[in-house]
Amino acid sequence: MTRPPRRPGGRQERRPRRAPLDGARLTAYDVLDGVSAREAYANLLLPQLLRERDLDPRDAAFATQLAYGALRARGTLDAVLARLVDRPLADLDRRVLDLLRLGAYQVLDLRVPAHAAVATTVDLTRAIVGTGASGLVNAVLRKAATGGDRAAWLEQLAADGDRRLALATDHPEWIVSAWREALGGEEELEPALLADDAAPEVHLVARRVDRAALAEESGGTPGPWSPYAVRLGGGDPGRLPSVRAGAAAVQDEGSQLAALLLARAPLEGPDARWLDVCAGPGGKAGLLAAVRPAGVHLTAADRAPHRAELVRGTLAGEDDVEVLVADGREPPWAPGSFDRVLLDAPCTGLGALRRRPEVRWRRTPDDVAPLVELQTALLDRALDSARPGGVVAYVTCSPHAAETVAVADAAAARDDVEVLPVAPLFAEVPGIERGPYAQLWPHRHGTDAMFMALFRCTR
């Protein structure tokens, strides 16, 4: 082992101690690494890391900004890095690429002095990957800083049309095109894309607690659309007594409206049996259990046992409910068994890009068609599950035309189905009409981009 040199007189000369790694930046890197290596969801991983590491509020806020920002901006960051690295980015060590993204995000998008962004990222690289990789990171980030901020780099990349809009708003081009189709033109396209990049508020749902009391307890304000919603500017909702007790929960206000659509739908005949087909993890089932009239039996089903278990936890303490492990395409219940049926179908999740910034890069156009096939099959069986005169609500957390309007139109073509307009049931919510269906948008409503369609069975 090599020992430090001795000073004159025989005493060993101590090497200077390396400064400890920056806790906020290390936490942000660990989120990027979890997303890249294990396909983790940032909105689940980051809160866990923040609790474990007990960062002070300022560092926690910076870690959140870095992690979500670098994940969201991956496409733009990679376009810049590809200009600066002398090999395909796919050939880099995955850890090095994530460190380069973390450093480049600070240089391009944040007001972090270049020397600080470079030095701290080099320190992280040396500790995580090794000294050899730190030289590459140092050289690349210095070049990135020399090129200027995002606006300057957009000029250098010489992008135009959808390519420029995609880079400027941190979206893949195929999502830019899909949003244009969903919005029906250019007028709202850029505001809608930019709304995906804004940090979302935390939304609470008051299930078994008075909303005014929940607003006072949390320091939040009543939501504008759902009579059960409270919006928070920040803080950890998991520490609220009402949330810990299960009387309230975190739930986007758009998801609340999707559940309320089923409860508000005009019904012909008896109203005694409700079904939530794809209920996991249980948010909408929890609200349905809270708002149903006395005597209504609620069945909640999910084909994944672990998700059904989450539903059981949500519905714990509720009377007259049952939770089933069941595939909605091959249901164990008889046709015509239910008065009201909710299908919150599996989808791309593109309507929640504010909350899951990595999803925009994880999803591809090839993911859409298999999901549409699944959604169509589930909706057919959901319609079969409702009795004559019963209603079915179809909702997805996406504005993509293929998994929203196209699926709903296919169901509407059945000769035993009547489409019920959604907008009249939410007269207090402006700008939701999408033909006879409804579409919520972050830039219009401050919610996730939930799609809603409503059908009555006429057979």
Side-chain angles (χ1 to χ4, degrees):
M1 181 176 68
T2 303
R3 297 182 179 277
R6 291 182 177 273
R7 292 180 178 177
R11 290 187 301 163
Q12 287 185 342
E13 189 168 333
R14 294 183 179 179
R15 289 173 178 162
R17 291 185 178 179
R18 186 173 295 164
L21 295 176
D22 182 287
R25 289 178 169 90
L26 177 60
T27 299
Y29 166 78
D30 285 339
V31 174
L32 268 63
D33 181 65
V35 169
S36 297
R38 305 187 303 278
E39 293 195 348
Y41 285 107
N43 66 320
L44 301 179
L45 178 57
L46 178 59
Q48 173 190 332
L49 293 177
L50 293 179
R51 285 192 296 269
E52 291 174 355
R53 298 177 184 184
D54 196 28
L55 298 180
D56 67 44
R58 183 175 179 179
D59 282 347
F62 188 46
T64 301
Q65 183 182 33
L66 282 178
Y68 284 173
L71 288 170
R72 184 177 60 241
R74 196 187 85 178
T76 304
L77 299 176
D78 285 2
V80 172
L81 293 172
R83 290 285 191 96
L84 304 174
V85 178
D86 61 359
R87 71 193 82 164
L89 296 185
D91 291 346
L92 291 175
D93 183 310
R94 172 185 49 76
R95 299 168 298 170
V96 171
L97 181 54
D98 278 337
L99 287 159
L100 284 171
R101 289 165 175 161
L102 188 66
Y105 176 69
Q106 297 173 66
V107 168
L108 269 64
D109 286 304
L110 301 183
R111 294 181 179 179
V112 176
H115 70 273
V118 174
T120 53
T121 308
V122 167
D123 287 344
L124 282 177
T125 306
R126 189 178 292 115
I128 293 167
V129 185
T131 302
S134 67
L136 169 67
V137 169
N138 180 63
V140 171
L141 292 184
R142 287 183 180 277
K143 292 177 186 176
T146 301
D149 60 9
R150 173 185 288 255
W153 270 106
L154 287 178
E155 293 300 323
Q156 294 181 55
L157 294 171
D160 56 15
D162 277 4
R163 175 66 172 161
R164 184 179 183 86
L165 188 57
L167 292 173
T169 63
D170 296 323
H171 287 75
E173 288 182 66
W174 72 275
I175 292 183
V176 174
S177 178
W179 266 220
R180 178 184 290 108
E181 181 180 4
L183 288 162
E186 301 288 334
E187 184 178 355
E188 295 181 78
L189 179 57
E190 187 169 1
L193 293 167
L194 290 173
D196 281 343
D197 300 336
E201 294 177 301
V202 174
H203 294 181
L204 301 178
V205 57
R207 291 198 296 236
R208 297 191 299 273
V209 62
D210 180 74
R211 178 168 76 159
L214 180 61
E216 183 176 358
E217 175 189 342
S218 63
T221 57
W225 318 126
S226 165
Y228 303 94
V230 172
R231 297 189 177 190
L232 306 182
D236 181 1
R239 297 180 178 179
L240 296 173
S242 293
V243 173
R244 291 202 304 267
V250 176
Q251 186 178 42
D252 182 79
E253 193 168 0
S255 292
Q256 296 177 42
L257 294 182
L260 293 176
L261 171 63
L262 185 73
R264 292 184 181 184
L267 187 68
E268 300 173 354
D271 192 8
R273 293 181 60 82
W274 294 10
L275 170 66
D276 185 352
V277 180
C278 299
K284 294 179 180 67
L287 184 53
L288 289 176
V291 304
R292 62 189 165 146
V296 169
H297 179 83
L298 174 64
T299 298
D302 201 281
R303 68 175 177 173
H306 72 281
R307 289 174 65 85
E309 194 59 34
L310 293 174
V311 179
R312 287 191 184 94
T314 298
L315 297 179
E318 294 284 359
D319 295 327
D320 209 8
V321 299
E322 64 175 334
V323 179
L324 305 177
V325 177
D327 188 333
R329 293 169 296 182
E330 299 176 352
W333 51 81
S337 294
F338 297 96
D339 305 303
R340 298 179 188 265
V341 179
L342 173 66
L343 172 58
D344 179 13
C347 67
T348 56
L350 297 178
L353 296 183
R354 304 176 304 155
R355 303 186 190 280
R356 295 179 175 176
E358 71 281 356
V359 168
R360 69 190 71 194
W361 307 111
R362 185 174 288 171
R363 288 295 191 187
T364 72
D366 292 339
D367 294 326
V368 177
L371 283 166
V372 169
E373 183 179 357
L374 173 62
Q375 292 154 357
T376 301
L378 284 167
L379 183 51
D380 271 341
R381 297 291 78 74
L383 291 164
D384 293 341
S385 299
R387 63 163 177 81
V391 293
V392 176
Y394 171 71
V395 304
T396 64
C397 188
S398 172
H400 195 293
E403 53 185 343
T404 55
V405 173
V407 173
D409 283 350
R414 289 177 44 152
D415 59 10
D416 59 350
V417 166
E418 174 189 1
V419 177
L420 301 178
V422 174
L425 300 176
F426 296 107
E428 69 279 17
V429 186
I432 65 171
E433 296 88 350
R434 193 173 176 186
Y437 315 125
Q439 181 72 61
L440 297 167
W441 288 96
H443 70 289
R444 292 182 189 172
H445 307 106
T447 68
D448 291 346
M450 297 293 301
F451 173 83
M452 298 180 282
L454 186 62
F455 307 95
R456 177 182 289 129
C457 296
T458 60
R459 62 184 178 281

